[in-house]
Amino acid sequence: MPAERTATHTVPVAAARRRRLRADQARQLADLLRHQILAGGYPGGVLPLESSLAADYGAGRNTVRQALDLLRGEQLVERRPGVGTVVVCEKYPHGLDRLQGLAETLHEHGRVTNEVRNVGPVRAPAPVAGRLGLPEHADVLYIERLRRLNGLPLSLDLTYVPMDIGAELLGCDLENTDVFRLLEQLTGQPLGHAEITLEAVNADAHSAAVLQAPRGAAVLMLERLTHLRDGRPVDLEFIRFRGDRITMSGLLRRSL
């Protein structure tokens, strides 16, 4: 009897393992295809036939189909009758190894414009004052901008700047100029370094509406504290990027 029970359970267990293995392989293949797509590896934006992908990557046809389904779920590709699988969403590269404003970073990909949704002095919340090295309850300039690339919503930026600099920013062209460039012009010195944190968060109702993204969709949250070359912190930002339109990259070197 024990032997019979073992034999009975062997078949569904083995089938589950095969499904799990195929799902693992599909995820691995999707990662490779995603890289090729974002790197412009498919001229014309059309992926090879499923049979060609299976041969190129040594995968089964079912695995290839599952991988493409994953990419369709990310709205990166779609299936078009008579054409095949095509790229439908372009992601723009945002470097993490250089301290640049968004317009500087993406200048090769089009025009960045800013919709200034809110700007004015506010009393700094304690964490903001602490990060900017200001006295408790000091005023700061608060700026909220919706940033678009070629007309498409890309990021929602919330920025805090010390008021001695922020007062001068009020008279500047915030709609067409990166804050970074304005800070350098107003202070007479270049920016030096920034501390960054990058994580995925769910879009709240306000952010989703402004970015025209589904409520609860994952967005990339970049928190950045930027310093002048002399070390003074002058810009604290909380930037929510649409994850389906941006990809973060950088060059890292190992320190010995």
Side-chain angles (χ1 to χ4, degrees):
M1 290 297 292
E4 291 179 3
R5 283 198 298 270
T6 300
T8 300
H9 292 127
T10 297
V11 173
V13 169
R17 287 176 176 169
R18 286 195 298 271
R19 287 194 298 272
R20 186 168 62 248
L21 177 61
R22 186 163 60 242
D24 290 342
Q25 292 173 338
R27 186 170 57 251
Q28 294 164 8
L29 177 56
D31 289 341
L32 297 174
L33 294 176
R34 187 186 303 104
H35 173 80
Q36 287 294 97
I37 290 169
L38 298 179
Y42 299 115
V46 180
L47 274 65
L49 298 174
E50 291 180 0
S51 57
S52 298
L53 291 173
D56 290 344
Y57 290 94
R61 290 286 292 273
N62 286 338
T63 298
V64 171
R65 292 192 185 102
Q66 281 187 257
L68 294 176
D69 284 342
L70 291 174
L71 298 178
R72 277 195 289 271
E74 298 174 17
Q75 299 182 340
L76 193 59
V77 301
E78 68 178 26
R79 181 80 178 175
R80 291 181 180 171
V83 179
T85 301
V86 299
V87 178
V88 293
C89 179
E90 183 177 5
K91 288 193 175 186
Y92 300 99
H94 187 295
L96 290 177
D97 48 4
R98 291 179 295 174
L99 186 54
Q100 293 183 317
L102 192 65
E104 294 174 314
T105 301
L106 299 179
H107 73 278
E108 296 179 356
H109 302 281
R111 183 168 179 259
V112 172
T113 56
N114 309 312
E115 177 188 329
V116 181
R117 298 177 54 81
N118 193 358
V119 59
V122 298
R123 177 168 291 185
V128 172
R131 299 286 300 281
L132 290 173
L134 300 173
E136 189 176 356
H137 306 311
D139 282 348
V140 293
L141 182 68
Y142 171 74
I143 309 169
E144 179 180 319
R145 295 168 296 162
L146 170 62
R147 315 198 70 185
R148 293 185 175 93
L149 178 62
N150 299 326
L152 293 176
L154 186 62
S155 72
L156 179 62
D157 298 15
L158 313 183
T159 304
Y160 300 90
V161 179
M163 204 59 210
D164 62 313
I165 303 173
E168 296 185 73
L169 275 177
L170 283 171
C172 295
D173 183 6
L174 294 170
E175 293 188 351
N176 298 294
T177 315
D178 280 338
V179 168
F180 277 4
R181 179 166 294 180
L182 294 173
L183 288 173
E184 291 182 323
Q185 291 174 357
L186 294 175
T187 63
Q189 64 171 301
L191 299 175
H193 70 280
E195 303 152 21
I196 65 171
T197 300
L198 182 65
E199 61 180 324
V201 300
N202 292 332
D204 59 274
H206 170 70
S207 300
V210 172
L211 291 171
Q212 299 177 19
R215 184 172 180 177
V219 295
L220 290 176
M221 163 71 86
L222 177 66
E223 179 183 329
R224 180 169 60 195
L225 177 63
T226 302
H227 303 250
L228 295 173
R229 178 169 288 179
D230 65 10
R232 181 189 176 187
V234 291
D235 184 311
L236 176 60
E237 297 172 283
F238 298 88
I239 306 173
R240 290 168 173 82
F241 287 100
R242 280 193 54 154
D244 59 344
R245 291 179 179 164
I246 202 82
T247 179
M248 301 291 181
S249 62
L251 176 64
L252 305 179
R253 290 184 172 87
R254 184 174 175 86
S255 299
L256 299 179

